[in-house]
Each structure stands twice: as C-alpha cells, then as structure tokens.
Amino acid sequence: MPIFVAMNYVIYTFHIATILSMLLSGVFIASVRGSKPPLIYLQLYWFVSIFLCIVNIFQTLHTPVYGQALWNPLHLLMLLAVYPFLFAYIFGMLRPGSIGVRFWLSAYLPLTTLATLYFGFDALFGKLPLFSNYAELRNYLNLPQLWVLFAAAAFSIVLISHYTVRAVGMMRYHKRNFESNFSCTEGNTLEWMWWAIAITLFKCLLVLTRIMTGGSAVSLTVVIFFSIEPVIITALVLRQKDLYGLSTPKDKKLELRNGNSELSSEKQNFLKQKLLLLLEKDEVFKNPDLDSAQLSEMMQTNRTYLSLIINQGMNTTFFDLINNYRLNKSVEMMRDPLRQDMNLSAIAEICGFKNLTAFGRYFKKIYGKSPTEWRKETFPDENSPE
C-alpha cells in the first residue's frame, strides 16, 4: 500500500512542522512580550499542544493502516486538554484576574473524569478497536468506552461553545468600552480575537469531522491546518496592544466607591470647562496616543467622572470628542490658502491622527467622502498633494 505509506510520511512531516511552528511561536512571543499572565497561558497552549502532538506521532507510528492512523481517543482528549489555555489567554486579556481555580476545575475535572472512565473501561472490557469511518464505528456501540468518547465529544462542544459565548460577551463590552477610553483604535481593536475564535472553532470542527468520518482528505487538512495555526495566532497576538488600561465594570464601581456616586452640577461644569480648556487652548488632541487615563490625570479627576462629563454632559464618546477636534483642525488647515501645498499625511500627523488611514476613515465617516475627494471638490482648480 505505497499510497498509504507516502501519505503517512506527509502526515509526519506536517506533524514535525506543527511542533516547530508551536515551539518557535511560544519562544518568539516570550521574547517579545514576556511570560507574565495572560501570555503565559498562550505559551502553555503551544507547549501542551507540542507534547500531545508528539504523543500522537508515536500513536500513528504503530498504526499500519493510514485510514486508521489519525483516529484514536487521544484526539478528543487533546481537544479538551489544550483549548482552556487559549481561552484563558483571551479572558485574561479582556478581564485581568478573571482566571481562577473555578475556571480550571470546570475544564479539567470533567476531562480527568472522562479520561479515567475511558482507560478504566479499556482495562475491564479490552481496548476499543481502531476504526476508519462511521460505518465501522457502529459495530462497537456495545462497548462502554465508546459512549465515554461520545460524552467527551458532547462535552467538548458544550465547553468550547460556553467559552465562545463568554468571550463574545466580553468582546462586545470592550468594543463599547474602547470608545470611552481611546482616541485611536489602531492596535486596540479586538478583530484578531474574532479570528482566533473562528480558527479555534474551525479546528474543532475538523477534528470532530475526522473522528466521525475517517476521511483521508480531512485528515490531511487537519494536520496542515494544525501546522499553520500557531503562525496565524502569533501574528494576530503581536498586533494587539495590552488591554490593561481599559476599565471594567468592577473598576468603575471601585472608582465611584472612592468618590461620590454623583457629580454636582457645579463640579460637572468646572470639570467640563477644564476639559474644553485642555482641548481648545492646549490642543491635547494632537497627541495621537491620547487616552482617557492620560486626560483624566491632566484634569486631576478619574476616568469615571471624565466619562460622565463626556457621555452625559456633552452627549458624545471620548473617541468621537477627540477625533472631532482633530477633524475640525484638519479641515481648518486644509482650508488655509497658505497650506494648499501641504500633503494630507502631514496634516493628519499634525492634527493627532495616528496615520493617513485613520484620518481618511474618520473623515469619510463624518463627511461621506475621502479627504482627497473633499479637497478636490472644495478647491477644484488646485492639484491637491497627497
């Protein structure tokens, strides 16, 4: 069966590529970002996956038929063993301090129970025979360890679905929270987490499909995807800034507890005038990295009071307030006859936009057209530089 032998060599090659990919990803992230929580969870995700991948190679080396090579109970146990680490990283990023004993017990107590039952039934009733597709699986429905595997599959679906729903809820909160804390979303968006979760769900779907069908094409897809996944996740992670500057609901309660729960109208007006002075006279909006923590420190107040002034007193968000000042300044400069030769990148930088892309995106949001189009329509006889 030369085709199966060749296919097995391809599988082993991609397994080795997976191990190298995970190892390099873990080491690279540690060298760039360090190994403190929550990054340590991501590194553990890679290193536990490496261990399980090595175990799987030894399993397949003792399997003579390729159709059976990737089907073994370890797949479900692998699935349940590694994913809590990935979601621990995501939860730790979104809400520091949320990963405790309860989180690990909810993941690994059922896993330990299922693994103990499976190997216990293996010892009592004999090992579950290997099979290559669902048709063969039906021949072993009388064996209790097969039902343990069904329970493990169901638990993996429930666990990962629970993690996904929880992560989505946290991401929605932080998406709203971004506009209350940051004036620029470059590097602060959570799009990469959506991709990470989508990759995780796709990976689970591949494994479960492989388990139930035994198809060689699915098997090859699984190992190829496993080998490139660490590179994708690493690239996404390194684009993300730390989120620890963001306030959470608990933070806001703590800040309110340390002060009054309500602002008097006099104090609100005082802080509002202080804010307007910083924006209009000092032009603090020109700092491209300005965030609510910096601005509240300049005003000698806290972020909660700053949010109250902006959200309730000015009926806007921190993000829109700062970027509106930047946009107004940029339009003022673009209208200035003495600055007609100034390119848009320079104007964007002077006004506090992180880059031309951020400037163009917000300009189009407000004016419905790009800065270039606006400039050409406003000064049709001028050749506007970019």
Side-chain angles (χ1 to χ4, degrees):
M1 298 176 14
I3 184 66
F4 294 130
V5 174
M7 191 66 75
N8 269 336
Y9 279 119
V10 172
I11 297 268
Y12 299 146
T13 301
F14 275 105
H15 270 311
I16 293 169
T18 302
I19 291 171
L20 291 174
S21 177
M22 290 179 175
L23 182 61
L24 291 173
S25 296
V27 171
F28 184 66
I29 289 178
S31 64
V32 174
R33 292 286 183 86
S35 297
K36 295 180 179 179
L39 278 171
I40 188 67
Y41 302 134
L42 187 64
Q43 291 153 16
L44 286 171
Y45 172 65
W46 297 142
F47 295 136
V48 172
S49 298
I50 287 171
F51 171 74
L52 294 173
C53 197
I54 292 171
V55 171
N56 199 43
I57 288 176
F58 281 103
Q59 287 280 325
T60 56
L61 282 171
H62 293 87
T63 305
V65 181
Y66 167 73
Q68 298 171 340
L70 281 180
W71 160 241
N72 61 67
L74 281 173
H75 270 117
L76 279 173
L77 300 181
M78 287 179 186
L79 203 64
L80 293 172
V82 298
Y83 282 115
F85 288 107
L86 179 61
F87 281 97
Y89 167 70
I90 292 176
F91 297 154
M93 282 288 288
L94 293 171
R95 189 167 295 172
S98 63
I99 305 301
V101 176
R102 183 179 175 183
F103 174 85
W104 298 113
L105 283 178
S106 68
Y108 288 107
L109 187 59
L111 171 63
T112 305
T113 304
L114 289 167
T116 303
L117 285 172
Y118 178 84
F119 292 112
F121 286 140
D122 251 8
L124 289 173
F125 301 101
K127 293 199 67 157
L128 179 68
L130 294 173
F131 48 88
S132 59
N133 53 53
Y134 182 68
E136 293 181 20
L137 177 148
R138 289 182 296 182
N139 296 327
Y140 307 110
L141 290 176
N142 60 319
L143 294 177
Q145 54 264 55
L146 187 59
W147 291 97
V148 174
L149 290 180
F150 287 154
F155 177 68
S156 67
I157 293 170
V158 170
L159 183 68
I160 292 170
S161 299
H162 167 69
Y163 286 160
T164 301
V165 169
R166 185 179 172 188
V168 168
M170 286 186 181
M171 285 189 288
R172 284 182 173 174
Y173 168 77
H174 277 280
K175 185 178 180 181
R176 295 191 302 269
N177 207 20
F178 274 138
E179 294 194 347
S180 297
N181 289 276
F182 293 100
S183 62
C184 178
T185 58
E186 298 293 321
N188 285 318
T189 63
L190 297 178
E191 290 178 5
W192 75 271
M193 284 192 182
W194 292 103
W195 282 105
I197 290 174
I199 288 168
T200 300
L201 294 177
F202 180 65
K203 188 175 178 180
C204 295
L205 180 64
L206 282 177
V207 172
L208 292 173
T209 303
R210 173 63 190 91
I211 288 169
M212 300 306 294
T213 64
S216 58
V218 179
S219 300
L220 191 56
T221 305
V222 168
V223 292
I224 291 174
F225 188 78
F226 275 32
S227 65
I228 63 173
E229 182 220 14
V231 177
I232 297 172
I233 297 289
T234 301
L236 292 171
V237 165
L238 291 177
R239 291 181 59 192
Q240 175 66 53
K241 292 181 180 179
D242 287 339
L243 301 179
Y244 302 123
L246 284 176
S247 59
T248 65
K250 288 183 180 179
D251 295 330
K252 290 188 175 182
K253 288 178 182 177
L254 183 61
E255 285 185 346
L256 286 172
R257 198 178 298 127
N258 292 334
N260 297 320
S261 59
E262 294 182 359
L263 276 174
S264 64
S265 58
E266 291 82 5
K267 188 173 182 180
Q268 186 169 344
N269 289 331
F270 171 73
L271 290 175
K272 185 177 178 180
Q273 292 304 315
K274 208 170 183 178
L275 172 60
L276 292 174
L277 188 66
L278 286 168
L279 291 170
E280 294 172 4
K281 183 179 178 182
D282 298 339
E283 296 187 330
V284 294
F285 58 83
K286 289 184 176 180
N287 174 9
D289 296 314
L290 184 67
D291 59 34
S292 62
Q294 295 172 11
L295 191 55
S296 60
E297 187 176 347
M298 294 176 197
M299 295 173 59
Q300 298 179 326
T301 185
N302 58 51
R303 287 177 296 177
T304 301
Y305 288 165
L306 177 61
S307 294
L308 285 172
I309 294 162
I310 294 173
N311 297 339
Q312 298 178 14
M314 305 174 90
N315 197 28
T316 186
T317 63
F318 179 82
F319 178 83
D320 284 330
L321 176 69
I322 302 302
N323 282 286
N324 275 330
Y325 271 92
R326 289 171 178 166
L327 191 61
N328 291 337
K329 185 67 177 179
S330 68
V331 170
E332 178 187 322
M333 291 179 68
M334 288 163 68
R335 288 184 184 276
D336 187 348
L338 300 177
R339 292 191 172 98
Q340 290 305 303
D341 293 332
M342 185 177 287
N343 62 47
L344 293 177
S345 297
I347 291 174
E349 184 179 349
I350 290 170
C351 295
F353 287 101
K354 197 80 170 178
N355 49 48
L356 185 57
T357 303
F359 173 45
R361 188 186 303 121
Y362 196 77
F363 194 100
K364 192 166 187 176
K365 175 184 174 182
I366 302 301
Y367 286 93
K369 60 188 72 175
S370 69
T372 304
E373 293 169 338
W374 181 91
R375 208 176 203 184
K376 285 178 179 178
E377 290 177 9
T378 307
F379 306 101
D381 297 330
E382 298 286 340
N383 294 320
S384 301
E386 296 306 304

